[in-house]
Amino acid sequence: MVQTETTYLKRFRDISLDDIPWVGGKNASLGEMIRTLQPAGIRVPDGFALTAKAFRRHIKEAGLEESIYSSLDRLDINDVRALAQTALQIRERVRSAPLPREIAASVELGYRELSRGFGEEATDVAVRSSATAEDLPTASFAGQHETFLNVRGASALDAAIRACMASLFTDRAIVYRAQNGFSHRDVALSVGVQKMVRSDLASAGVIFTLDTESGFRDVVLVTGSWGIAETVVQGRVNPDEFWVHKPTLKAGFQPVIRRERGEKAVKLIYGDGGRAVKEVRVSAADRLRFVLEDAEVLQLARWAMAIEDHYSARAGHPMPMDIEWARDGRSGDLFIVQARPETVHGQARAPKLELYKRTGEGRVLVHGKSVGNRVGTGKVRVIMTPSELGEVQAGDVLVAPMTDPDWEPVLRKVAAVVTDQGGRTCHAAIVSRELGIPCIVGTGNATHLLPTGREVTVSCAE
């Protein structure tokens, strides 16, 4: 058992938040919860982390270190074509290089031990990135790096780990580091290997320990949809939403003070025919059902409050949290699969008042869920696929089915964002809050009703 613990591999139960420089924010947080909160009944799936040292050795032994960082030093991140070409070349070289023998052996032993713990020869795992500058209170790096789901077998795991390491050099991650003042050389990537929860047979989602729009601290917001949580995070669905009042819950009552049923049109499940996962339509009956019973919502809220209390006590100041949950469809058990600091309202800022003057009464063209409290105006630019992102001009109102992290360089220059799909905890919402951009998600039909070139006002202030 102890033999799997090496310079390059650490079991989650042996790491904590003190280990962020070696295993990154995401993996350190998983270890912290397993060590300190799992004994109190909060379930967290087991796993292990490949350390940042493993990443740096992989880069060095492949002879890539100098060429990668010198090419990034010369790169103009505003040159979209050069950015894409440079990033792709770097990723292909990192991904194609074999892992150093010692690291590959550690991974094989760690995976074998994890599989044995679940009574399987080759268990299903998620392979997640955990950058050493990720999930900090001031920068979420939300979706900057890749995640690989339902990975089975030593060979598939080896390939997923190399691809995960390569994702430190996605276009969006390179731009995000540059714009947030992180040196490329100073950020390494730890890889987390975590046992999957069979939420493809049940439901999953996201929890915030405050109101995401106002920053009000006395509520827990739970969102969820059928299947694996990526549909919620990526904005592929309009999820169910539940609000729980913290003080009343602490007093022993059952305060689910608000419920909103989402459309939940699609779900992500385990694939077949060589596909790890696939997206399928949700039945009409399931779309009309809430994904959680009140007792489950309250259980998740209690766990979220306990996580927030622990992280706040450890930090010495209030620490609102952004948490991912999943329910196993076989056992019915709930799990916490990630927890990170909330990066918008969690930072102390001086109050700021913005005044807007309305000069006339316009007709409401579309409506959805507002993100933030700002107002933006501009010409509509409908973008249906990432290949069209080059058409977006500074000051446009971006209208799209949804956004994902690859769109982030463009989001930084638009006046507002409007999406057909997504809820308050999807990628478009999270990034728009960080950037201070007015955003409307879950409109259902904005891409059909708003033509490119039309002048519109997007108001999140009413």
Side-chain angles (χ1 to χ4, degrees), residues 356-402:
Y356 299 94
K357 183 178 180 181
R358 187 165 63 183
T359 56
E361 193 72 35
R363 182 168 63 90
V364 175
L365 303 174
V366 296
H367 63 85
K369 294 178 179 178
S370 63
V371 175
N373 53 16
R374 304 186 72 180
V375 175
T377 62
K379 290 184 178 180
V380 168
R381 179 76 60 176
V382 178
I383 299 294
M384 301 302 292
T385 67
S387 63
E388 301 169 345
L389 287 174
E391 300 172 12
V392 178
Q393 304 297 312
D396 281 348
V397 172
L398 174 64
V399 178
M402 61 176 176

Side-chain angles (χ1 to χ4, degrees), residues 57-281:
R57 181 170 172 186
H58 175 60
I59 297 296
K60 187 173 183 178
E61 286 206 5
L64 302 176
E65 193 172 22
E66 184 53 39
S67 63
I68 286 175
Y69 295 115
S70 61
S71 64
L72 291 176
D73 288 342
R74 296 191 301 270
L75 180 65
D76 176 5
I77 62 170
N78 296 308
D79 185 336
V80 177
R81 289 185 180 178
L83 170 65
Q85 183 178 16
T86 300
L88 178 61
Q89 290 174 348
I90 293 173
R91 290 197 304 275
E92 287 179 343
R93 295 170 73 188
V94 174
R95 187 168 50 235
S96 61
L99 290 175
R101 187 172 301 174
E102 184 180 352
I103 295 173
S106 293
V107 170
E108 188 173 349
L109 284 172
Y111 180 59
R112 191 182 306 159
E113 178 186 310
L114 183 65
S115 297
R116 273 201 309 264
F118 291 95
E120 298 178 279
E121 184 177 338
T123 196
D124 49 336
V125 294
V127 179
R128 303 182 186 275
S129 63
S130 181
T132 54
E134 191 171 20
D135 295 339
L136 303 177
T138 55
S140 72
F141 280 69
Q144 297 304 315
H145 313 112
E146 298 292 349
T147 292
F148 300 90
L149 303 171
N150 189 23
V151 177
R152 285 182 182 269
S155 176
L157 178 58
D158 182 277
I161 286 171
R162 287 182 282 114
C164 203
M165 288 179 172
S167 74
L168 186 66
F169 304 104
T170 60
D171 303 14
R172 58 191 184 257
I174 291 169
V175 170
Y176 193 92
R177 289 195 296 271
Q179 292 182 330
N180 284 275
F182 291 95
S183 166
H184 296 297
R185 286 176 172 81
D186 291 343
V187 180
L189 193 134
S190 168
V191 178
V193 178
Q194 184 180 35
K195 170 65 179 173
M196 287 282 292
V197 175
R198 290 303 302 268
S199 59
D200 64 305
L201 303 174
S203 55
V206 177
I207 309 169
F208 278 84
T209 61
L210 45 59
D211 179 74
T212 52
E213 306 318 315
S214 67
F216 180 58
R217 300 287 180 89
D218 280 349
V219 294
V220 175
L221 169 62
V222 180
T223 66
S225 190
W226 300 115
I228 299 169
E230 264 63 17
T231 56
V232 178
V233 175
Q234 295 171 1
R236 290 287 298 141
V237 295
N238 298 340
D240 292 342
E241 296 184 356
F242 309 86
W243 281 261
V244 178
H245 188 237
K246 289 181 185 175
T248 313
L249 182 60
K250 287 180 179 178
F253 298 95
Q254 300 183 10
V256 180
I257 57 177
R258 184 177 171 189
R259 302 174 190 81
E260 285 189 13
R261 190 175 62 220
E263 186 183 17
K264 308 183 297 291
V266 297
K267 64 180 177 179
L268 199 64
I269 64 172
Y270 279 19
D272 48 28
R275 291 183 296 173
V277 293
K278 64 179 180 179
E279 186 177 282
V280 298
R281 300 290 296 178

